[in-house]
């Protein structure tokens, strides 16, 4: 007999732990289990170990709403986030619900049994295990944990130095006094360059095209002052509210007045780098928020460039050579270590296959319902966060919605909830909508779809999502419910003669 859970969560990163904590708070009677492929809690913040690894969202809005982030560092480093997720799991007792080392490979819904059967591979032993769940929550993040994205670089096999992808950072990599080239222009590249520059001989950031980079304060001075008079919990709530609003305004302004916001962002770079700035390396070809912006704390990247220990080159790679990289312009970049910060490979539900009554349901053919559930998939939620704001803001709303849905069903004796769509609702657009980042473009064939209008449209808007997920009625005519089956009648006990 396989173990049966009321709610089974796949993944013990920020989203899985957040969902389990919400269930512990709001649905305490539920038997909850978590399957995690790795041997530790934390997901992204356990996997990535490169120097300087940190969030590029402020922790007041990236942290859980229900558990204050009590440090004053605005962009936290990886180990601190890992610790925060671990502490949260322990505080709510959800760490005891995790079964580690299990990679979920498939989930099968049976309409007859009204539950999911989840198949998981115990990777250390090669053994297959199976679990049953009335409700399934995918909290597997959005990328392939086995490997990052690596484009084909001509001549890569000729290079005599070390070539490293940030997703597989070797423990104790010694880069002291070495010439390092970091290929990429995203959040990982702009984090690595200032982190490695002090010890390396020189770090060159090699990009094909520039990104928007802006400096944010490393410490929250206002919260530091407020903490002298007010309880930490209040200060956290205020900082969180303030930062959510600032980010929202910045996003709206960027969509409404792209040229003005572009001008403001570029002026910020000029201010940081002074008159000597070669703005070709910092002037993107697209408008702000067509791709994610890169935040750097206290301008650390610009400081590294000013110090002469780091530089930026914008060009294309012709070939790797024995001793570095030759660019299309003819320039040679000598390197002892090349880091390919070329991004992630998008993957949904950790690569697990979904079937309903033995029929395969590829997620890329389905629309998301309220960006939480999936069209025609009964009792299933997929927790994804924002890409234009801190991930956790949306992940938090999604898990609270799951709790509301379960409470609604329990109160009315309902067993199954399935979002049903009219065919005309489908729009051939992925859930990431307007975002044109490389990993989103590459993955458009694998991502779930969104519809023309609500509840099939993905809002990417915290206030509107809050209204839709936490305040609007659960029963909206789109979710189809099935009642719980009556328990089989007990056989009558014959009366004694
Ligand atoms: C380097 C880096 C920095 C980032 N910085 C930010 C940031 O500053 N702000 C922001 O908003 N977002 C950021 N992100 C996005 C980030 O992934 C999310 O913010 C957040 O950490 C996602 O949490 P999650 O729990 O949803 O997914 P993850 O952190 O990816 O965790 C998923 C978990 O599911 C497990 N899992 C996956 N597949 C399976 C399977 N088949 N079976 C069992 N378990 C499985 C994984 O092992 C993992 O533990 C960053 C991403 C990266 C890669």
């Amino acid at each position: 007999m396989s173990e049966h859970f009321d709610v089974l969560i796949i993944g013990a990163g920020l989203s899985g732990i957040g969902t389990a904590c919400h269930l512990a708070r709001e649905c305490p009677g539920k038997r909850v289990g978590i399957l995690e492929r790795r041997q530790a809690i934390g997901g992204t913040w356990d996997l990535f170990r490169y120097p300087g690894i940190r969030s590029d969202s402020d922790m007041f809005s990236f942290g859980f709403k229900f558990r204050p982030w009590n440090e004053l560092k605005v962009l936290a480093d990886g180990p601190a986030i890992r610790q925060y997720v671990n502490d949260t799991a322990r505080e709510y007792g959800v760490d005891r619900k995790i079964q580690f080392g299990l990679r979920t490979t498939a989930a099968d819904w049976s309409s007859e049994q009204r539950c999911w059967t989840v198949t998981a591979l115990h990777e250390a032993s090669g053994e297959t295990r199976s679990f049953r769940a009335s409700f399934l929550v995918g909290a597997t993040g959005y990328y392939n944990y086995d490997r990052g994205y690596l484009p084909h670089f001509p001549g890569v096999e000729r290079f005599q130095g070390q070539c490293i992808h940030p997703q597989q950072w070797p423990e104790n990599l010694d880069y002291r006094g070495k010439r390092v080239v970091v290929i990429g222009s995203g959040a990982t590249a702009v984090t690595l360059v200032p982190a490695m520059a002090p010890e390396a001989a020189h770090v060159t950031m090699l990009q094909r095209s520039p990104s928007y980079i802006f400096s944010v304060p490393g410490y929250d001075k206002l919260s530091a002052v407020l903490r002298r008079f007010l309880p930490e919990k209040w200060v956290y709530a205020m900082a969180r509210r303030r930062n959510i609003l600032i980010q929202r305004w910045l996003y709206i302004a960027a969509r409404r007045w792209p040229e003005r916001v572009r001008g403001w962002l570029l002026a910020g770079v000029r201010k940081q780098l002074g008159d000597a700035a070669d703005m070709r390396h910092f002037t993107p070809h697209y408008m702000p928020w067509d791709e994610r912006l890169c935040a750097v704390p206290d301008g650390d990247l610009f400081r590294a460039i000013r110090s002469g220990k780091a530089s930026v080159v914008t060009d294309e790679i012709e070939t790797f050579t024995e001793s570095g990289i030759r660019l299309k312009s003819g320039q040679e970049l000598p390197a002892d270590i090349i880091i390919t910060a070329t991004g992630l490979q998008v993957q949904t539900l950790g690569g697990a296959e979904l079937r309903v009554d033995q029929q395969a349901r590829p997620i890329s053919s389905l629309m998301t319902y309220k960006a939480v559930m999936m069209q025609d998939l009964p009792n299933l939620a997929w927790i994804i966060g924002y890409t234009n704001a801190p991930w956790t803001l949306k992940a938090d709303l999604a898990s609270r919605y799951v709790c509301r849905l379960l409470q609604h069903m329990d109160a009315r004796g309902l067993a199954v909830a399935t979002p049903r769509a009219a065919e005309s609702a489908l729009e051939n657009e992925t859930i990431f909508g307007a975002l044109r980042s490389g990993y989103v473009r590459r993955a458009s064939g694998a991502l779930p779809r969104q519809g023309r209008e609500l509840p099939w449209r993905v809002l990417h808007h915290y206030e509107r999502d809050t209204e839709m997920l936490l305040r609007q009625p659960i029963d909206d005519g789109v979710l189809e419910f099935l009642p719980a089956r009556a328990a089989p009648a007990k056989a009558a006990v014959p009366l004694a003669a």
Side-chain angles (χ1 to χ4, degrees):
M1 282 293 284
S2 42
E3 222 174 329
H4 190 115
F5 295 97
D6 295 324
V7 184
L8 185 61
I9 299 169
I10 308 170
L14 269 166
S15 304
I17 296 300
T19 304
C21 293
H22 278 295
L23 285 163
R25 288 158 58 99
E26 290 153 47
C27 303
K30 295 280 177 208
R31 185 168 151 67
V32 175
I34 306 175
L35 303 185
E36 168 53 54
R37 182 180 175 186
R38 297 172 64 73
Q39 296 295 343
I41 291 174
T44 297
W45 306 102
D46 182 55
L47 175 72
F48 280 85
R49 300 291 177 122
Y50 58 76
I53 168 77
R54 57 165 163 75
S55 69
D56 60 354
S57 300
D58 77 277
M59 282 308 292
F60 306 107
S61 48
F62 192 45
F64 298 118
K65 184 170 189 210
F66 60 86
R67 191 171 187 280
W69 168 259
N70 283 330
E71 292 181 32
L72 291 170
K73 209 169 172 186
V74 174
L75 307 184
D77 52 33
I81 303 176
R82 195 161 68 233
Q83 189 63 48
Y84 171 78
V85 188
N86 268 286
D87 291 347
T88 309
R90 206 167 312 117
E91 193 174 306
Y92 285 86
V94 303
D95 53 339
R96 297 192 299 271
K97 300 180 194 291
I98 307 172
Q99 301 192 38
F100 290 103
L102 287 171
R103 175 161 67 89
T104 301
T105 54
D108 285 88
W109 172 262
S110 158
S111 299
E112 173 57 33
Q113 293 172 16
R114 293 187 172 179
C115 75
W116 288 97
T117 298
V118 172
T119 310
L121 177 71
H122 186 254
E123 292 190 298
S125 65
E127 192 186 299
T128 298
R129 299 192 190 157
S130 112
F131 302 86
R132 282 151 50 95
S134 305
F135 200 100
L136 188 62
V137 178
T140 51
Y142 63 100
Y143 61 87
N144 186 336
Y145 266 65
D146 291 324
R147 66 198 73 88
Y149 172 67
L150 190 62
H152 173 68
F153 293 120
V156 66
E157 65 291 340
R158 284 163 60 194
F159 180 56
Q160 298 294 307
Q162 274 178 291
C163 193
I164 294 162
H165 194 286
Q167 199 167 321
Q168 277 117 5
W169 197 266
E171 226 178 301
N172 307 322
L173 176 75
D174 185 6
Y175 53 88
R176 279 172 302 173
K178 304 258 172 81
R179 295 161 305 172
V180 180
V181 173
V182 179
I183 303 174
S185 60
T188 302
V190 304
T191 302
L192 274 165
V193 173
M196 297 181 81
E199 290 197 27
H202 188 85
V203 185
T204 307
M205 183 166 119
L206 169 60
Q207 56 180 15
R208 200 165 44 179
S209 56
S211 307
Y212 288 101
I213 303 171
F214 69 110
S215 177
V216 296
Y219 282 86
D220 189 339
K221 291 186 190 141
L222 180 62
S223 292
V225 173
L226 289 175
R227 270 199 200 180
R228 289 195 219 138
F229 315 104
L230 298 172
E232 273 184 358
K233 225 172 152 177
W234 292 13
V235 178
Y236 174 69
M238 285 157 70
R240 182 179 163 88
R241 191 77 215 130
R242 175 198 65 200
N243 289 2
I244 290 173
L245 284 176
I246 292 173
Q247 288 167 64
R248 187 73 211 148
W249 287 336
L250 181 62
Y251 181 76
I252 291 173
R255 303 317 289 178
R256 203 166 287 170
W257 306 288
E259 289 291 352
R260 269 198 236 174
V261 173
R262 176 181 169 86
W264 174 73
L265 288 167
L266 298 185
V269 176
R270 258 183 238 110
K271 192 169 161 214
Q272 288 279 342
L273 286 177
D275 293 338
D278 184 347
M279 288 303 289
R280 279 177 310 149
H281 303 312
F282 301 96
T283 311
H285 303 307
Y286 55 86
M287 286 298 161
W289 274 119
D290 285 347
E291 296 186 18
R292 267 184 92 105
L293 311 184
C294 293
V296 292
D298 291 329
D300 63 358
L301 173 74
F302 303 117
R303 236 181 306 124
I305 294 170
R306 284 200 311 266
S307 76
K309 293 276 291 194
S311 53
V312 183
V313 171
T314 308
D315 206 326
E316 283 191 46
I317 296 173
E318 183 167 286
T319 183
F320 276 45
T321 63
E322 283 74 13
S323 58
I325 295 175
R326 186 177 318 128
L327 301 171
K328 288 209 168 146
S329 64
Q331 188 185 350
E332 300 266 349
L333 289 181
D336 303 304
I337 301 176
I338 296 176
I339 297 164
T340 52
T342 43
L344 307 163
Q345 269 189 35
V346 170
Q347 188 181 59
T348 48
L349 285 172
E353 285 174 23
L354 293 179
R355 288 179 285 263
V356 173
D357 296 328
Q358 285 146 35
Q359 297 280 312
R361 291 294 165 97
I363 210 162
S364 57
S365 64
L366 305 176
M367 287 187 292
T368 61
Y369 167 81
K370 300 192 171 182
V372 179
M373 297 179 78
M374 301 294 304
Q375 172 193 2
D376 297 334
L377 295 184
N379 288 8
L380 179 135
W382 181 38
I383 309 289
I384 46 157
Y386 289 128
T387 46
N388 64 346
W391 178 273
T392 339
L393 287 182
K394 169 65 196 314
D396 222 43
L397 291 179
S399 22
R400 288 169 72 191
Y401 173 79
V402 169
C403 294
R404 274 187 78 207
L405 173 64
L406 294 173
Q407 286 166 350
H408 175 94
M409 290 166 71
D410 285 350
R412 290 160 185 78
L414 303 170
V416 183
T418 314
R420 297 287 187 203
E423 218 155 85
S424 57
L426 183 65
E427 179 84 280
N428 193 22
E429 194 182 349
T430 74
I431 46 163
F432 289 142
L435 196 71
R436 295 214 302 264
S437 299
Y439 68 90
V440 174
R441 272 184 277 124
R442 286 194 301 272
S444 71
L447 286 168
R449 310 279 118 184
Q450 59 173 311
R452 280 181 220 292
E453 48 199 41
L454 291 175
W456 305 104
R457 193 100 201 121
V458 180
L459 290 169
H460 302 287
H461 191 305
Y462 183 61
E463 274 74 26
R464 290 182 66 198
D465 274 329
T466 305
E467 176 64 28
M468 178 172 74
L469 294 171
L470 303 189
R471 302 202 186 105
Q472 285 176 7
I474 292 285
D475 191 354
D476 59 356
V478 177
L479 267 189
E480 176 193 276
F481 291 103
L482 291 180
R485 289 203 180 102
K490 286 205 179 108
V493 180
L495 288 174

